[in-house]
């Protein structure tokens, strides 16, 4: 049962699932749902035999200590979050006695963002079986009045479509969908279900007032500003397009297709430029040019000739775009009242020219000087999205990840459509100083057509009769009075204006601590502390908090608590890549363990070759609470030759001093080990330098070779079948039969630096989950050794 209440764009969703164990023995019951990435979980509970187990939001580090203490007592099961494009997965399992039932309840909240002229409520439903009482109910209340409502689902057939009941009045809408068991069946008499996909509601509100709409409830106000009928402002845009070698194939084709559509969409009063870059920087023209039909046609012909080549020089490409826009201003080519923007598309890391990421950010920030917007599109999985995200937000823009999939062209076009029609710039919304405090961000760099500005705050004067609003924007100043109260009590959940204010404030504090290039460490620390306090006060699971649920006692004693976290982009755990040239394929897995652990990677007793590797963690616990681990030290022994090597991120010891970034050790017509040093910015607050380990000519090892990697040096037999959609569209799941076991695997990629030490290359592989369980002999812990030169 999905029950969603939306009041003034703030959505409160409760997902409830009841399951019965019909078996005569106890068994594990699973609850798995997906929720929007922009939402914060606010509550989770389990009711088992009239006993309710409720989640408690705690500081992430405290939650982790509670979880670790439970792990040390024995086996554990955890709450898992996995990432898709727009959704996160929440899953939990609990052991239930025979003939008992459990009711799971998950609650989350989010502020709906207006994009392309509408709000969207996305509910992902994947019951995986027929459900006796299946129901989705959404109630929307918008005091401004509802202009339209549309409901559809990816799984709606002609038979199911009439079951979507939609009732719309002036200010309210109700959408109801509840198919019977028979209507859910994928075929007559079978147990398969048609219900599998996204149920999506889109709507918008009336906008008669030029200064927007203000709602006041219980001492908090929220102001929505998206004035209708504003004339679009001409834009001057430079497209900066990566054509490096990694863009080859599908990516370059999709980029060309998207650019051809985008160029067609330019308005004649716009001015534009195109810069292609790899290791060299090639502008299409030396100055901005008017977007008339003749020039656009010429630009499209230029784009059609685009092909991949070379390396990646992001720094010089963006700085050249800044110069083009500056020159357009100084030469009076562009209209005086117009908006300057750069749209950067790249799929990789900068590796030519300036390659230090913070220095690139500094260079770009200084060059732009607050006078233009930078929008960064990160294409694929190899790009450092965090780098682009910060650089965009530092320069009045933002970043967006473009997923490698068949719809990448549409993703590119969709993003451009969002930012292509600026209406206002330098927007300030002002309120009476003596009447409000704790206001969320009230200055915005721009307002785009189809979007909306939202400001919330607390009233210091609850008896206010008149609420004065002033809006300042580029060349615009307007003032007016507003005072609107909501009187529909049944639509008000938990003082929604206050929770909306808290949601916005936390989001903006989290952004401030990560993006503020000029702020001091104290300022960032204060932002983090305040965001944490508010996350705890309002019971939000944010990147600073976790939700702990103590599970009921089982026959084996007290089960450990579950911990729910918010996702982050980083993944630094050691990656293992097993290339299988005979199959033209590869297998891969990650190793997750605590910092300091030493693993045996290679052991060949005949020549006496041993390789062990030790992992290290981040310098300190990041704000998201996830410690990334990396290899930082290797011990290599060749007993026959009497050689012992220690290679660390700092130095190399082999009975004499030596220091090289890359070390290639050749052991007399034997195997070769390649160790690469990956440098991280020295002042990075969390991450450290780390080492990559690769084996060349591994076939020269004897048949006795073993270890985490060594066991695969002479190949492995496996079969992959049943390819099916996975968590992420471009990463399908499949079933692998290996070593007499049946594993669920995912098609993914790993970076391989053997042939390209600077950039690496993406190797497609079958990813085996949970530390390679089922693929490796035994368990990952079986390969832990007590010292760098010790055997297992």
């Amino acid at each position: 049962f999905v029950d969603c209440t939306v009041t003034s764009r703030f959505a409160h969703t409760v997902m409830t699932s009841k399951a019965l164990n019909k078996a005569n023995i106890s068994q594990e019951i699973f609850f798995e749902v997906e929720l929007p990435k922009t939402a914060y979980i606010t509550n989770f509970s389990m009711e088992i035999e009239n006993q309710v187990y409720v989640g408690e939001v705690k500081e992430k580090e405290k939650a982790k200590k509670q979880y670790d203490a439970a792990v040390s007592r024995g086996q554990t099961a955890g709450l898992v979050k996995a990432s898709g494009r727009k959704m996160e997965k929440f899953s939990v399992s609990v052991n239930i006695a025979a003939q008992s039932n459990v009711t799971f309840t998950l609650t989350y909240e989010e502020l709906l963002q207006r994009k392309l002229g509408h709000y969207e409520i996305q509910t992902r439903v994947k019951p995986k079986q027929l459900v006796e009482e299946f129901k989705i109910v959404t109630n929307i209340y918008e005091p401004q009045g509802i202009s339209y409502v549309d409901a559809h689902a990816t799984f709606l057939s002609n038979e199911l479509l009439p079951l979507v009941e939609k009732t719309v009045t002036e200010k309210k809408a109700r959408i109801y969908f509840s198919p019977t068991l028979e209507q859910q069946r994928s075929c007559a008499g079978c147990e398969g279900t048609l219900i599998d996909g996204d149920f999506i509601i889109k709507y918008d509100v009336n906008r008669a007032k030029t200064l927007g709409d203000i709602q006041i409830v219980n001492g908090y106000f929220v102001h929505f500003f998206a004035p209708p009928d504003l004339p679009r402002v001409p834009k001057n845009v430079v497209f900066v397009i990566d054509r490096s070698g990694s863009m080859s194939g599908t990516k370059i084709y999709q980029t060309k297709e998207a650019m051809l559509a985008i160029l067609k969409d330019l308005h004649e009063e716009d001015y534009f430029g195109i810069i292609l870059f790899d290791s060299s920087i090639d502008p299409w023209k030396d100055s901005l040019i008017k977007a008339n039909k003749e020039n656009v046609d010429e630009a499209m012909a230029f784009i059609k000739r685009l092909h991949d080549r070379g390396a990646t020089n992001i720094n010089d490409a963006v700085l050249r775009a800044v110069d083009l826009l500056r020159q357009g201003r100084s030469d009076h080519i562009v209209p005086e009242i117009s908006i300057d923007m750069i749209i950067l598309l790249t799929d990789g890391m900068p590796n030519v020219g300036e390659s230090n990421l913070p220095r690139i950010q500094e260079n770009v920030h200084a060059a732009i000087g607050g006078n233009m917007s930078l929008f960064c599109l990160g294409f694929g999985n190899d790009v450092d999205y965090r780098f682009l995200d910060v650089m965009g937000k530092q320069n009045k823009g933002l970043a967006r990840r473009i997923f490698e999939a068949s719809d990448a062209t549409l993703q590119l076009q969709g993003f451009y459509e969002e930012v292509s029609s600026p209406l206002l710039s330098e927007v300030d919304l002002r309120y009476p100083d003596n009447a409000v405090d704790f206001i969320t961000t009230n200055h915005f760099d721009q307002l785009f057509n189809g979007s909306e500005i939202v400001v919330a705050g607390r009233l210091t004067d609850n008896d206010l009769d008149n609420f004065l609003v002033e809006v300042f924007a580029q060349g615009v100043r307007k003032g007016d009075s507003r005072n609107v109260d909501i009187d529909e009590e049944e639509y008000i959940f938990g003082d929604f204006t206050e929770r909306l204010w808290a949601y916005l404030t936390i989001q903006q504090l989290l952004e401030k601590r990560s993006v503020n290039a000029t702020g001091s460490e104290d300022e960032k620390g204060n932002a983090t502390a305040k965001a944490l306090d508010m996350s705890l006060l309002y019971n939000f699971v944010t990147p600073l908090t976790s939700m702990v649920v103590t599970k009921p006692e089982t026959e084996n004693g007290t089960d450990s608590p579950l911990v729910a976290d918010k996702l982050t982009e980083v993944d630094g755990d050691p990656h293992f890549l097993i290339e299988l040239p005979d199959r033209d394929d590869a297998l891969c897995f990650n190793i997750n363990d605590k910092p300091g652990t030493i693993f045996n990677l290679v052991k060949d007793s005949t020549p006496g070759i041993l390789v062990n590797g030790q992992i290290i963690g981040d310098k300190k616990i990041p704000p998201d609470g996830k410690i990334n681990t990396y290899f930082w030290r290797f011990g290599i022994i060749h007993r026959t030759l009497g050689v012992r090597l220690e290679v660390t991120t700092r130095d190399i010891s082999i009975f004499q001093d030596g220091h090289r970034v890359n070390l290639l050790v050749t052991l007399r017509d034997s195997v070769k080990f390649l160790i690469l040093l990956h440098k991280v910015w020295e002042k990075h607050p969390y991450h450290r330098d780390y080492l990559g380990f690769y084996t060349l000519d591994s076939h020269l090892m004897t048949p006795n070779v073993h270890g985490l990697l060594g066991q695969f040096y002479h190949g492995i037999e496996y079969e992959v079948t049943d390819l099916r959609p996975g968590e992420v569209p471009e990463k399908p799941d499949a079933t692998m039969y290996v070593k007499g076991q049946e594993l669920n695997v995912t098609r993914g990629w790993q970076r391989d630096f053997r042939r390209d030490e600077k950039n690496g290359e993406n190797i497609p592989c079958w990813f085996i989950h949970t530390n390679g369980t089922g693929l490796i002999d035994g368990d990952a812990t079986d390969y832990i050794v007590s010292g760098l030169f010790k055997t297992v």
Side-chain angles (χ1 to χ4, degrees):
F1 176 34
V2 180
D3 184 8
C4 178
T5 302
V6 182
T7 305
S8 296
R9 290 71 142 175
F10 197 59
H12 175 93
T13 303
V14 181
M15 289 187 161
T16 307
S17 179
K18 187 172 183 178
L20 169 67
N21 177 13
K22 296 180 180 179
N24 293 321
I25 58 171
S26 64
Q27 66 176 6
E28 207 170 13
I29 301 291
F30 291 88
F31 173 66
E32 185 174 280
V33 299
E34 294 181 63
L35 60 147
K37 283 185 176 181
T38 49
Y40 290 152
I41 292 172
T42 62
N43 190 37
F44 173 68
S45 65
M46 300 182 293
E47 183 177 348
I48 304 167
E49 295 180 348
N50 298 319
Q51 178 74 38
V52 179
Y53 303 87
V54 180
E56 181 182 1
V57 175
K58 293 187 174 183
E59 184 179 353
K60 193 175 286 286
E61 183 56 23
K62 290 180 180 176
K64 186 175 185 298
K65 285 178 181 175
Q66 185 173 344
Y67 183 78
D68 287 346
V71 170
S72 68
R73 294 195 298 267
Q75 291 296 104
T76 181
L79 232 94
V80 180
K81 296 287 247 3
S83 177
R85 282 195 194 177
K86 295 182 180 179
M87 310 294 279
E88 294 175 348
K89 182 181 288 185
F90 174 106
S91 65
V92 59
S93 65
V94 63
N95 209 54
I96 298 297
Q99 305 302 319
S100 294
N101 59 49
V102 55
T103 300
F104 300 100
T105 304
L106 177 74
T107 305
Y108 60 86
E109 294 177 347
E110 66 171 326
L111 177 62
L112 304 177
Q113 290 185 324
R114 188 171 187 249
K115 290 183 179 178
L116 303 176
H118 65 258
Y119 308 96
E120 182 175 291
I121 307 163
Q122 181 176 357
T123 306
R124 184 157 293 172
V125 281
K126 291 178 173 287
K128 299 180 181 177
Q129 61 188 29
L130 299 174
V131 178
E132 284 190 26
E133 294 182 40
F134 181 93
K135 192 184 297 182
I136 297 176
V137 180
T138 301
N139 286 290
I140 302 170
Y141 176 64
E142 291 289 350
Q144 284 177 252
I146 296 171
S147 61
Y148 82 93
V149 179
D150 178 47
H152 71 281
T154 55
F155 52 80
L156 283 182
S157 61
N158 289 335
E159 291 74 30
L160 289 178
L161 192 59
L163 300 180
V164 180
E165 300 175 17
K166 187 172 70 172
T167 307
V168 184
T169 59
E170 182 187 356
K171 297 182 179 181
K172 300 177 186 176
R174 176 179 169 86
I175 294 89
Y176 182 88
F177 177 62
S178 183
T180 64
L181 271 176
E182 288 306 311
Q183 290 166 334
Q184 294 171 47
R185 292 188 197 277
S186 54
C187 56
C190 64
E191 294 301 306
T193 177
L194 291 169
I195 312 298
D196 182 9
D198 292 331
F199 191 87
I200 297 170
I201 297 169
K202 295 181 180 180
Y203 77 94
D204 199 16
V205 300
N206 297 325
R207 301 180 188 278
K209 300 167 185 173
T210 57
L211 290 189
D213 191 75
I214 290 178
Q215 284 133 43
I216 298 171
V217 174
N218 296 335
Y220 286 82
F221 79 90
V222 58
H223 180 196
F224 301 101
F225 180 67
D229 306 322
L230 281 178
R232 70 180 301 277
V233 180
K235 65 177 178 292
N236 315 307
V237 57
V238 180
F239 301 98
V240 183
I241 302 171
D242 189 341
R243 62 170 179 200
S244 59
S246 55
M247 286 285 290
S248 64
T250 303
K251 281 194 279 192
I252 203 87
Y253 170 78
Q254 291 174 321
T255 299
K256 288 162 73 169
E257 290 294 298
M259 277 303 302
L260 292 174
I262 286 168
L263 288 170
K264 282 183 187 174
D265 192 53
L266 287 171
H267 290 252
E268 189 153 336
E269 67 269 24
D270 295 336
Y271 282 76
F272 74 106
I274 301 171
I275 294 174
L276 307 181
F277 74 95
D278 46 83
S279 49
S280 62
I281 314 299
D282 291 327
W284 168 51
K285 302 279 186 186
D286 290 331
S287 63
L288 296 179
I289 193 166
K290 193 172 175 61
N292 59 36
K293 186 179 186 308
E294 181 184 350
N295 292 334
V296 167
D297 288 345
E298 186 183 344
M300 291 172 70
F302 173 73
I303 289 294
K304 287 176 182 175
R305 297 192 294 271
L306 173 60
H307 63 276
D308 57 279
R309 56 176 239 192
T312 308
N313 186 346
I314 291 177
N315 185 81
D316 292 352
V318 176
L319 294 184
R320 186 61 188 273
V322 174
D323 288 342
L324 271 182
L325 289 166
R326 274 186 181 163
Q327 181 187 333
R329 290 283 176 192
S330 61
D331 293 348
H332 304 288
I333 294 172
V334 301
E336 185 177 346
I337 298 180
S338 58
I339 291 177
D340 295 341
M341 63 174 67
I342 298 167
I343 297 180
L344 166 67
L345 170 67
T346 182
D347 78 328
M349 290 281 285
N351 50 33
V352 173
E354 180 57 71
S355 57
N356 181 285
L357 301 187
R359 206 165 294 132
I360 295 172
Q361 290 169 340
E362 290 168 13
N363 293 345
V364 170
H365 188 61
I368 285 179
N371 297 317
M372 51 194 75
S373 298
L374 172 64
F375 299 99
C376 303
L377 297 172
F379 203 146
N381 299 309
D382 293 342
V383 73
D384 189 326
Y385 182 77
R386 172 78 182 141
F387 156 67
L388 296 179
D389 187 42
V390 171
M391 193 162 68
K393 288 173 180 173
Q394 285 175 345
N395 295 285
K396 298 186 176 182
L398 51 91
R400 186 69 55 83
R401 187 185 289 283
I402 302 299
F403 293 87
E404 286 187 59
S406 58
D407 69 339
T409 297
L410 294 176
Q411 293 177 56
L412 289 165
Q413 287 176 241
F415 174 82
Y416 173 76
E417 192 177 344
E418 281 182 44
V419 302
S420 63
S421 296
L423 301 176
L424 294 173
S425 62
E426 304 302 332
V427 186
D428 273 301
L429 296 96
R430 299 182 188 175
Y431 311 93
D433 289 339
N434 60 345
V436 300
D437 59 8
F438 296 114
I439 294 179
T440 60
T441 298
N442 63 330
H443 173 85
F444 298 84
D445 298 315
Q446 58 257 315
L447 171 68
F448 295 106
N449 188 31
S451 67
E452 180 176 64
I453 284 173
V454 183
V455 180
R458 191 178 72 175
L459 296 179
T460 55
D461 182 0
N462 287 329
D463 297 324
L464 199 66
D465 294 325
N466 197 287
F467 197 89
L468 177 67
V469 181
E470 289 186 295
V471 178
F472 295 78
Q474 186 183 50
V476 177
R477 175 181 176 177
K478 291 187 177 180
D480 201 358
S481 298
R482 291 282 179 270
N483 195 358
V484 178
D485 287 283
I486 294 184
D487 53 8
E488 295 287 339
E489 289 294 328
E490 73 268 26
Y491 285 90
I492 299 176
F493 47 86
D495 297 340
F496 89 94
T497 44
E498 183 177 353
R499 295 192 65 79
L500 187 158
W501 163 80
Y503 175 99
L504 258 186
T505 302
I506 291 168
Q507 274 197 335
Q508 291 168 1
L509 286 168
L510 292 173
E511 188 174 299
K512 180 180 179 181
R513 73 191 178 106
S514 61
V515 172
N516 190 354
T518 56
S520 67
E521 288 306 312
D522 283 346
E523 286 175 324
K524 294 176 184 177
N526 290 340
T528 301
K530 187 174 179 184
L532 172 60
D533 288 345
M534 291 187 66
S535 299
L536 294 171
L537 179 63
Y538 289 94
N539 224 53
F540 285 135
V541 178
T542 71
L544 302 177
T545 55
S546 299
M547 180 169 283
V548 180
V549 187
T550 304
K551 290 171 70 175
E553 291 189 0
T554 66
E555 296 166 3
N556 300 321
T558 303
D559 211 336
S560 62
L562 309 164
V563 176
D565 287 330
K566 192 80 181 153
L567 280 171
T568 59
E569 288 278 350
V570 180
D571 182 7
D573 299 306
H575 305 300
F576 290 87
L577 175 69
I578 303 148
E579 271 205 301
L580 303 167
D582 295 340
R583 303 278 299 253
D584 191 27
D585 208 345
L587 308 177
C588 53
F589 59 97
N590 297 343
I591 288 292
N592 299 280
D593 210 298
K594 59 182 181 294
T597 304
I598 303 172
F599 289 100
N600 172 241
L601 305 180
V602 181
K603 182 177 71 173
D604 196 348
S605 54
T606 306
I609 293 174
L610 181 78
V611 180
N612 293 333
Q614 185 174 29
I615 60 176
I616 193 172
D618 284 331
K619 297 172 188 173
K620 59 181 180 179
I621 298 173
D624 62 16
K626 182 182 185 297
I627 287 283
N628 300 289
T629 55
Y630 326 81
F631 279 121
W632 80 281
R633 196 163 68 123
F634 291 101
I636 303 172
I637 294 177
H638 195 301
R639 294 193 187 281
T640 307
L641 298 176
V643 173
R644 190 166 94 166
L645 273 174
E646 181 178 348
V647 184
T648 76
T649 52
R650 295 186 298 273
D651 53 38
I652 300 165
S653 302
I654 178 172
F655 302 115
Q656 61 189 35
D657 293 331
H659 186 85
R660 285 178 60 192
V661 171
N662 298 336
L663 174 69
L664 183 65
V665 180
T666 305
L667 301 175
R668 287 190 185 175
D669 300 322
S670 182
V671 70
K672 299 172 185 174
F673 299 128
L674 175 65
I675 297 175
L676 300 179
L677 173 61
H678 297 281
K679 297 287 287 182
V680 173
W681 179 44
E682 186 179 344
K683 295 180 182 178
H684 196 289
Y686 308 112
H687 306 325
R688 307 177 189 258
D689 294 349
Y690 64 98
L691 299 174
F693 179 84
Y694 301 90
T695 310
L696 310 179
D697 299 333
S698 56
H699 63 281
L700 295 174
M701 284 286 200
T702 73
N704 296 325
V705 66
H706 207 264
L708 264 177
L709 283 176
Q711 63 186 289
F712 303 107
Y713 284 167
H714 295 295
I716 183 170
E717 293 298 320
Y718 67 93
E719 292 297 330
V720 176
T721 62
D722 188 25
L723 195 67
R724 55 191 179 273
E727 181 66 39
V728 180
E730 61 270 27
K731 294 183 178 179
D733 285 350
T735 300
M736 175 179 286
Y737 296 92
V738 59
K739 296 183 178 179
Q741 300 187 68
E742 183 177 319
L743 307 180
N744 182 62
V745 296
T746 302
R747 193 61 172 174
W749 297 270
Q750 291 280 39
R751 291 292 284 281
D752 185 353
F753 291 86
R754 283 173 298 177
R755 289 171 280 272
D756 184 346
E757 295 174 10
K758 255 197 167 181
N759 308 314
E761 60 179 314
N762 247 0
I763 301 292
C765 63
W766 290 110
F767 184 81
I768 290 83
H769 303 272
T770 59
N771 289 355
T773 301
L775 176 70
I776 62 174
D777 292 338
D779 186 81
T781 56
D782 298 339
Y783 298 85
I784 295 176
V785 294
S786 58
L788 200 62
F789 297 100
K790 301 277 189 178
T791 56
V792 177

